[in-house]
Amino acid sequence: MQRFYDFIRRHPTGVDILWAVLLLGFSGVSIVAEQAGGGRERVAAVPIAVGLSAVVALRRRAPEKMLLLAILMGIAQLLFGVRPGVADFAMLVITYTVATVGERWASRLALGCSLVAAGLSRLRWSDDAPTGGWAQTAGYVVIMTVPFVLAWVLGDSIRTRRAYFSQLEERAARLEREREAQSKVAVAAERARIARELHDVVAHNVSVMVVQADGAAYVMDSSPEQARQALETISGTGRQALAEMRRLLGVLRTGDSPESGEYVPQPDVEQIEELVGKVRETGLAVDFKIEGTPRPLPSGVELTAYRIVQEALTNTRKHGGPDAGASVRLVYFDDGLGLLVEDDGRGAPHELYEDGGADGAGQGMIGMRERVGMVGGTLDAGPRQGGGFRISALLPLKPANQ
């Protein structure tokens, strides 16, 4: 039985043709039985029955045209005096069809014709009017009009229901497209964040290794102990860089967030002091102070603070010169964390930080601004009066849009 229903749904026009053939057959029997007397009514009844049967057969393919054909057949009935018969059932069918799938003008036209068809029929064949007077005639007209109006109402309600479901499907498809677009944006943002992380890891740790390697080569003959310490620093820094890079590359393999990885914990504010200590071991004098009362901060704020200090001290080693010194200040406010990193070296040209350069300093500054922007903070960077460079950042506990 299910296969039969599926076949019917796949061939709607074939089903309509079958009904049209049956309607034409019953109409032929009716014409022979009711108009046996001959005359023009009987001659005209045949093409009218054929036309109305065609309306049923093609109602899905061309509902508006079939409505006009049905109206033409109705006018022909009035002109040639062909009394309503079995074939007029097609008018009820086409009224429902255009109300369901036809154009709006066709639907309104079908409703208008449905309201006046019974009245015109009663006027055309007034000799068949009941003897009860105008009240009974009006009741008869209303009764004959009701099926057409109900067919139109049913078709229009189905049209509304289909339009509603179509809107739901369109909305679901749109939401799906938006979800895919948001996923792509999230992937791009994650890749950009991982790129920033890799830059910070490579720029800082490799810079330390280069400085230590140069120092070891310089004192290799005169002070083997210092050379050995420098090599140990290079080894430890390299292992740390490998661990962090393994964590980041592991994220690319698994698709998980670095914060949830199992490789190494994310750097936080408490590790800034350790970072400063490692920088001091490279020969750069760094003054480190904490003001205010330390307290737990959001992980994003802590990671941003660590990376800003790391990048700033890396740039000082690169561009500050041999006698440069730096200072790092962490200030805990009620609503955020303040950072101030300054150095008194000769520094790099300010355009290098803003526009980028061969050594990647520009990318480091861009990364700083992106990190600060992600947590809703502000960053101010530029040359100091009297020489050196200054980086100031304010990181709120909550983003400004929350």
Side-chain angles (χ1 to χ4, degrees), residues 361-373:
Q363 295 301 320
M365 186 58 64
I366 292 173
M368 282 190 197
R369 295 191 185 280
E370 289 179 348
R371 286 184 181 278
V372 172

Side-chain angles (χ1 to χ4, degrees), residues 211 214 284 312-326 342-353 359 382-390:
V211 171
D214 290 342
L284 178 64
L313 294 180
T314 299
N315 290 337
T316 299
R317 284 199 309 271
K318 288 181 178 180
H319 310 293
D323 299 325
E342 297 179 305
D343 65 65
D344 55 6
R346 62 173 180 264
H350 184 61
E351 292 79 6
L352 179 63
Y353 287 94
D359 59 357
R384 293 175 62 229
Q385 291 183 356
F389 205 81
R390 177 180 182 272

Side-chain angles (χ1 to χ4, degrees), residues 186-196 252:
V187 170
E190 181 70 5
R191 289 177 177 175
R193 190 189 61 77
I194 292 175
R196 289 194 300 269
L252 296 177

Side-chain angles (χ1 to χ4, degrees), residues 55 64-65 91 109 121 124 139 211 213 238 259 264 296 334 338 386 392:
V55 168
E64 295 83 7
K65 294 179 180 179
M91 297 182 179
L109 180 59
S121 175
R124 177 64 178 82
V211 171
E259 286 78 356
V264 293
D334 293 337
S392 176

Side-chain angles (χ1 to χ4, degrees), residues 143-384:
I143 292 175
M144 296 302 296
T145 303
V146 167
F148 289 91
V149 175
L150 290 178
W152 185 89
V153 171
L154 177 62
D156 190 69
S157 64
I158 292 177
R159 173 200 290 270
T160 303
R161 185 180 180 87
R162 289 177 178 175
Y164 173 72
F165 284 126
S166 177
Q167 290 178 356
L168 291 181
E169 293 176 355
E170 181 182 357
R171 181 181 180 185
R174 185 175 67 254
L175 292 176
E176 180 66 18
R177 291 193 298 268
E178 292 177 356
R179 186 187 67 82
E180 292 178 357
Q182 291 174 355
S183 298
K184 292 180 180 179
V185 171
V187 170
E190 181 70 5
R191 289 177 177 175
R193 190 189 61 77
I194 292 175
R196 289 194 300 269
E197 289 284 311
L198 286 172
H199 170 271
D200 293 338
V201 171
V202 173
H204 173 73
N205 291 289
V206 172
S207 176
V208 172
M209 294 167 68
V210 169
V211 171
Q212 292 294 324
D214 290 342
Y218 182 76
V219 300
M220 181 67 71
D221 297 329
S222 60
S223 181
E225 182 62 24
Q226 292 184 11
R228 186 181 65 81
Q229 293 178 357
L231 292 175
E232 290 178 353
T233 301
I234 292 174
S235 176
T237 304
R239 289 190 178 94
Q240 180 182 359
L242 286 175
E244 293 197 35
M245 292 180 67
R246 188 179 298 114
R247 173 178 61 85
L248 293 172
L249 296 177
V251 172
L252 296 177
R253 289 194 298 269
T254 62
D256 297 331
S257 171
E259 286 78 356
S260 62
E262 300 179 356
Y263 300 96
V264 293
Q266 287 281 57
D268 54 24
V269 173
E270 294 181 356
Q271 296 182 29
I272 292 180
E273 186 171 2
E274 179 182 349
L275 171 66
V276 170
K278 293 182 178 179
V279 172
R280 287 171 178 164
E281 294 177 359
T282 66
L284 178 64
V286 182
D287 181 31
F288 177 66
K289 288 185 179 179
I290 298 177
E291 300 178 7
T293 304
R295 62 180 179 279
L297 299 171
S299 59
V301 171
E302 295 206 10
L303 177 60
T304 299
Y306 182 92
R307 293 305 187 193
I308 289 175
V309 174
Q310 184 184 55
E311 180 66 25
L313 294 180
T314 299
N315 290 337
T316 299
R317 284 199 309 271
K318 288 181 178 180
H319 310 293
D323 299 325
S327 64
V328 178
R329 297 289 184 274
L330 267 65
V331 183
Y332 286 88
F333 298 105
D334 293 337
D335 57 350
L337 176 68
L339 285 175
L340 178 61
V341 184
E342 297 179 305
D343 65 65
D344 55 6
R346 62 173 180 264
H350 184 61
E351 292 79 6
L352 179 63
Y353 287 94
E354 295 299 332
D355 300 332
D359 59 357
Q363 295 301 320
M365 186 58 64
I366 292 173
M368 282 190 197
R369 295 191 185 280
E370 289 179 348
R371 286 184 181 278
V372 172
M374 288 173 59
V375 298
T378 58
L379 178 70
D380 181 30
R384 293 175 62 229

